[in-house]
């Protein structure tokens, strides 16, 4: 809320990388109980255009792997009922500490972390488990998979998460941050699944949101695993990754100097990624505020950021203003904002991190 200062607002991080399994992960973990406490986390999927693009794409992938609508589906990490509605589930449960559903909804709310869930807490047996952009936040991914395999009735498990392959391909090193503990490749998720007697039976790379990898998993005893397409060798070479990150840092440092000189500067998009933008572009502290079309965000503040969140409306005059686009998670949403700013004649428009 306005004026609130949270106890933890910074932490040092180190990224570790496994050459053998092509997997990256953070050394230091900030407690999920702190990060996703209701006082610190205000995201609702149905209110985010970027989230809905991601969920719609994931729902299409799931539908292509199912012959019928799920009878009782689990949405692990969902914060509202929008995804279960998208996949046409007849019933189901949202499992998340901040789970919400509309009044009269057929979907059960289970406000807990997934690894604490017991099958007997659910109203019906589970036939499908889905999880969108949750696995990368989980401290103990083996425990996550062990919980999933406790539901013996389900025979298919769908996941989507940021793709290490696409992050490196686009040089989007800004996508490495405190909330994402794991950076999976197709190879590393296949290895993890196999260790729990699951096999990847389908996968899809999606560049619309973060750069995402979707996978469908089934018990190995029932199917044959597919063979992932070969990856470009240099993409996972540690020296290639390090040199790419150094080039990224040099570029953002030069760009920050340019942003610092822009007149009448405002940011556009009070998104979850705004603190990441501010980390690489400290000159944003000199802006006049953060424009956003969500009226509910106007009463909020980012921790230790003395910038107001200002409600944007179509009749607001942008001519004479320099706009830094701080909504950077979703390519489609970023492009839509860019086009809107062009149509509204903003004086200068700055798009950070290069690839959209």
């Amino acid at each position: 809320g306005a004026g609130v200062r949270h106890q933890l607002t910074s932490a040092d991080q180190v990224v570790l990388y496994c050459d053998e399994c092509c997997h990256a992960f953070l050394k230091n973990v900030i407690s999920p109980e702190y990060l996703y406490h209701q006082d610190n986390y205000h995201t609702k999927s149905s209110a985010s255009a970027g989230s809905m693009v991601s969920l719609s794409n994931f729902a299409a992938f799931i539908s292509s792997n199912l012959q019928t609508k799920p009878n009782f589906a689990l949405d692990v990490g969902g914060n509202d009922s929008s995804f279960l509605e998208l996949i046409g589930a007849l019933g189901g449960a949202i499992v998340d500490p901040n789970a919400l559903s509309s009044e009269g909804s057929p979907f059960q709310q289970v406000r807990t972390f997934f690894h604490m869930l017991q099958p007997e807490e659910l109203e019906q047996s589970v036939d499908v488990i889905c999880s969108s952009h949750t696995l990368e936040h989980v401290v103990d991914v083996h425990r996550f998979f062990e919980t999933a395999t406790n539901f013996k009735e389900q025979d298919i498990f769908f996941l989507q998460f940021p793709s290490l392959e696409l992050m490196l391909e686009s040089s989007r090193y800004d996508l490495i941050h405190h909330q994402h503990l794991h950076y999976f490749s197709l190879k590393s998720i296949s290895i993890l699944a196999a260790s729990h007697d699951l096999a990847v039976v389908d996968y899809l790379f999606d560049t619309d949101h973060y750069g995402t990898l979707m996978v469908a998993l089934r018990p190995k005893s029932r199917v044959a695993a597919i063979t992932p397409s070969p990856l470009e060798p240099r993409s996972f070479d540690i020296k290639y990754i390090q040199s790419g990150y150094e080039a990224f840092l040099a570029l953002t440092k030069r760009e920050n100097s340019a942003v610092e000189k822009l007149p009448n500067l405002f940011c556009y998009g009070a998104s979850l990624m705004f603190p990441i933008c501010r980390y690489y572009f400290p000159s944003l502290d000199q802006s006049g505020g953060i424009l956003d079309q969500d009226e509910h965000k106007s009463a909020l503040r980012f921790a230790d950021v003395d910038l107001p969140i200002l409600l944007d409306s179509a009749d607001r005059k942008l001519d004479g203003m320099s706009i830094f686009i701080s909504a950077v998670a979703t390519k489609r949403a970023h492009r839509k904002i860019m086009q809107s700013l062009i149509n509204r004649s903003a004086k200068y428009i700055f798009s950070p991190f290069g690839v959209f």
Side-chain angles (χ1 to χ4, degrees):
V4 172
R5 290 294 180 268
H6 298 279
Q7 183 178 2
L8 177 66
T9 56
S10 64
D12 290 332
Q13 289 290 4
V14 174
V15 180
L16 304 178
Y17 180 71
C18 173
D19 284 303
E20 185 176 348
C21 61
C22 301
H23 186 74
F25 53 100
L26 296 187
K27 181 179 180 180
N28 302 315
V29 175
I30 299 174
S31 166
E33 287 77 12
Y34 171 81
L35 284 179
Y36 305 112
H37 189 277
Q38 61 183 3
D39 291 339
N40 299 337
Y41 190 79
H42 299 278
T43 296
K44 186 177 179 183
S45 297
S46 59
S48 167
S51 292
M52 292 309 296
V53 167
S54 174
L55 293 179
S56 295
N57 293 351
F58 190 35
F61 173 74
I62 289 172
S63 296
S64 71
N65 280 277
L66 295 178
Q67 295 181 341
T68 60
K69 293 181 178 179
N71 185 51
F72 194 87
L74 283 190
D75 179 8
V76 179
N79 49 56
D80 60 33
S81 60
S82 54
F83 185 65
L84 291 178
E85 293 164 4
L86 277 174
I87 63 173
L90 302 177
I94 309 156
V95 183
D96 187 82
N98 299 303
L100 294 172
S101 61
S102 56
E103 188 174 347
S105 168
F107 305 120
Q108 182 183 354
Q109 301 172 25
V110 185
R111 292 179 178 167
T112 187
F113 288 104
F114 184 48
H115 67 267
M116 300 173 69
L117 179 68
Q118 299 298 319
E120 54 268 23
E121 295 179 63
L122 301 174
E123 296 170 351
Q124 297 182 42
S125 59
V126 175
D127 54 348
V128 174
I129 298 178
C130 312
S131 185
S132 173
H133 288 286
T134 297
L135 187 63
E136 65 269 27
H137 302 263
V138 174
V139 178
D140 188 344
V141 292
H142 285 285
R143 194 175 182 185
F144 183 93
F145 270 70
E146 287 166 3
T147 304
T149 55
N150 282 340
F151 297 91
K152 303 299 183 184
E153 299 84 359
Q154 66 89 23
D155 71 343
I156 192 159
F157 185 15
F158 295 101
L159 296 166
Q160 74 166 347
F161 41 80
S163 159
L164 181 62
E165 294 95 331
L166 295 181
M167 185 189 81
L168 297 177
E169 180 180 82
S170 61
S171 297
R172 286 292 304 275
Y173 292 91
D174 57 292
L175 298 179
I176 299 174
H177 56 81
H178 64 290
Q179 287 193 7
H180 290 181
L181 308 179
H182 294 274
Y183 301 84
F184 285 96
S185 65
L186 183 55
K187 182 176 181 179
S188 67
I189 194 65
S190 299
I191 292 171
L192 174 61
S195 71
H196 293 274
D197 294 321
L198 296 169
V200 175
V201 295
D202 194 15
Y203 68 93
L204 180 68
F205 289 100
D206 176 23
T207 60
D208 275 343
H209 184 75
Y210 269 108
T212 293
L213 174 58
M214 307 175 192
V215 295
L217 309 174
R218 289 188 186 273
K220 286 197 297 185
S221 59
R222 303 180 197 176
V223 296
I226 62 173
T227 302
S229 300
L231 300 165
E232 185 180 359
R234 69 171 187 169
S235 297
F236 291 100
D237 178 81
I238 188 62
K239 291 182 179 178
Y240 176 77
I241 295 173
Q242 288 175 331
S243 64
Y245 182 59
E246 290 167 3
F248 172 83
L249 289 178
L251 176 63
T252 53
K253 184 176 181 179
R254 290 196 302 271
E255 288 183 333
N256 181 65
S257 297
V259 170
E260 195 171 23
K261 298 177 176 65
L262 292 175
N264 199 18
L265 177 64
F266 284 79
C267 304
Y268 202 102
S271 69
L272 281 174
M273 295 294 286
F274 180 80
I276 311 302
C277 290
R278 180 175 173 257
Y279 175 82
Y280 289 107
F281 294 89
S283 58
L284 296 183
D285 284 345
Q286 307 306 314
S287 68
I290 310 165
L291 298 170
D292 198 282
Q293 293 182 334
D294 186 347
E295 61 182 351
H296 301 293
K297 292 182 180 179
S298 299
L300 302 175
R301 292 290 186 276
F302 289 100
D304 286 351
V305 177
D306 291 321
L307 292 175
I309 299 175
L310 308 170
L311 179 63
D312 181 42
S313 59
D315 58 357
R316 179 187 285 270
K317 301 295 184 182
L318 300 184
D319 52 319
M321 294 173 64
S322 301
I323 305 292
F324 180 105
I325 304 178
S326 48
V328 294
T330 305
K331 181 176 72 175
R332 193 180 300 182
H334 189 92
R335 290 177 177 183
K336 186 176 180 180
I337 290 171
M338 172 72 79
Q339 188 59 58
S340 173
L341 296 174
I342 292 170
N343 293 342
R344 293 169 66 185
S345 302
K347 184 175 183 179
Y348 296 116
I349 303 170
F350 189 90
S351 176
F353 306 130
V355 179
F356 285 98

